Amino acid sequence: MSSLLKITDLHVAVDEKPILKGVSLELRQGEVHALMGPNGSGKSTLAYTLVGHPKYEITSGTIEIDGTNINELDPCERARLGLFLAFQYPVTIPGVKVADFLRHAVTNIRNPERKEGEGLIPMREFRKELKERMEELGMDLEFARRYLNEGFSGGEKKRMEILQLAMLQPKFALLDETDSGLDSDAVRVVSEGLKKLSGPQMGSLIITHHERLLEYNVPQFTHVMLAGKIVETGNAELAHELHNHGYAAIRERHPAEAAEEQERQAKAQTANAGF
Ligand SMILES: Nc1ncnc2c1ncn2[C@@H]1O[C@H](COP(=O)(O)OP(=O)(O)O)[C@@H](O)[C@H]1O
Ligand SMILES: [Mg+2]
């Protein structure tokens, strides 16, 4: 049976400021969902909350995987249950190679009872698997010997994300893609990589405006966020429409949330101005 990630009436605050105001969404293994919405609507907040970032406080509502409430679980425990977030800004870890990083990550997921200092998954087994996955993705094996994120181009950072996805094989992949700063190579890497990895075993929630990403990975569901709420859910056509025409129609159809959005922006500007 396929697994279900179920979000019910989720309210989230950051530094006591309410950001998400009642988000409900069901993502099944095997489904592709797009999450869209103007800047500041709360898309990244939802992604970080799902993986258990400590800054994001759930004030009410639930996140469940197959009926188990995961609100209180730490990020590692959530990863073991099959949740994966590809970060917008992956970090550089000095002296750690791509392959080392992946070997640790894979061990932590597959061997949850492992104590600090106990063995990693055997090198030979890991190497074989890594090689297979990289070949499937058409990646140069040399890439695994690079230092993690050190001098990575946009495309290489994306390659890293896709390789992580391929090795960890999460049930639920959350992809939070910035729309600025991704060159066409990077967009192609994620678009094609994600398509190759998609199948009945993986559900994905793709946060993006990139037409290409959604052309390669056609969403069954498109959700639109405005001022911390999902105001509309449609199919791939909705994503297409938003890409071509922007959010004006959405704001018109949801005047209360549009007003809330304006209010939030005004407050942020006041705060930035140092008042
Ligand atoms: N770590 C944080 N600290 C302070 N404010 C935050 C933080 N994360 C998000 N916010 C605020 O929450 C709102 C939603 O942001 P975000 O989730 O990043 O939106 P999106 O990803 O849709 O652009 C914004 O007003 C933003 O300023
Ligand atoms: Mg964001």
Side-chain angles (χ1 to χ4, degrees):
M1 212 197 73
S2 65
S3 280
L4 174 69
L5 172 67
K6 186 175 179 191
I7 305 163
T8 311
D9 198 22
L10 194 68
H11 288 69
V12 171
V14 180
D15 297 333
E16 295 183 8
K17 190 171 82 173
I19 308 286
L20 299 187
K21 295 191 164 175
V23 171
S24 298
L25 196 159
E26 291 190 12
L27 173 63
R28 275 197 180 278
Q29 245 180 322
E31 290 176 351
V32 178
H33 294 233
L35 180 62
M36 299 178 79
N39 274 338
S41 56
K43 305 179 298 293
S44 297
T45 299
L46 178 62
Y48 284 126
T49 306
L50 289 175
V51 290
H53 190 298
K55 222 176 142 78
Y56 298 84
E57 187 205 346
I58 299 176
T59 49
S60 68
T62 55
I63 308 170
E64 293 164 295
I65 292 181
D66 296 332
T68 303
N69 185 321
I70 66 160
N71 281 26
E72 302 296 329
L73 298 189
D74 68 37
C76 278
E77 292 169 310
R78 293 179 195 215
R80 280 174 203 139
L81 290 174
L83 260 178
F84 172 88
L85 173 64
F87 288 95
Q88 275 183 339
Y89 304 104
V91 289
T92 305
I93 312 175
V96 173
K97 290 184 179 170
V98 166
D100 302 333
F101 174 80
L102 288 173
R103 192 168 166 222
H104 274 91
V106 168
T107 304
N108 284 335
I109 298 274
R110 293 198 195 151
N111 203 355
E113 306 306 327
R114 187 178 77 103
K115 309 260 183 319
E116 239 353 270
E118 274 179 14
L120 297 169
I121 62 165
M123 188 53 123
R124 189 189 280 263
E125 189 186 310
F126 171 74
R127 280 253 175 83
K128 182 168 173 281
E129 205 177 315
L130 183 63
K131 188 162 171 267
E132 282 172 10
R133 294 291 93 76
M134 291 185 86
E135 277 168 1
E136 282 161 15
L137 291 166
M139 287 185 189
D140 186 349
L141 295 176
E142 203 42 49
F143 182 68
R145 298 196 187 96
R146 293 271 307 270
Y147 287 100
L148 188 61
N149 286 330
E150 217 177 87
F152 275 18
S153 66
E156 284 164 346
K157 283 186 182 157
K158 294 292 138 185
R159 244 169 226 120
M160 183 64 213
E161 279 179 12
I162 294 298
L163 187 55
Q164 245 179 296
L165 266 181
M167 291 300 291
L168 298 177
Q169 301 186 350
K171 289 179 183 164
F172 306 106
L174 316 172
L175 287 104
D176 193 352
E177 302 299 334
T178 41
D179 293 302
S180 53
L182 270 193
D183 57 26
S184 61
D185 177 46
V187 176
R188 185 184 54 78
V189 168
V190 223
S191 303
E192 291 176 1
L194 191 61
K195 186 181 165 77
K196 275 189 190 152
L197 296 175
S198 290
Q201 295 312 312
M202 193 169 83
S204 35
L205 182 66
I206 308 175
I207 304 174
T208 191
H209 293 285
H210 281 294
E211 184 89 292
R212 187 154 186 198
L213 190 50
L214 298 177
E215 256 168 32
Y216 274 68
N217 303 276
V218 179
Q220 284 108 348
F221 303 94
T222 300
H223 310 279
V224 189
M225 241 179 167
L226 193 60
K229 284 183 190 155
I230 290 178
V231 291
E232 280 187 27
T233 293
N235 54 21
E237 189 52 41
L238 179 58
H240 194 66
E241 185 192 311
L242 294 174
H243 183 265
N244 289 332
H245 303 293
Y247 292 101
I250 292 282
R251 291 188 177 102
E252 231 161 75
R253 292 201 287 269
H254 305 279
E257 285 77 13
E260 160 89 21
E261 181 193 28
Q262 280 210 321
E263 204 175 299
R264 284 186 184 195
Q265 282 169 353
K267 270 190 201 154
Q269 268 169 11
T270 318
N272 285 339
F275 290 112

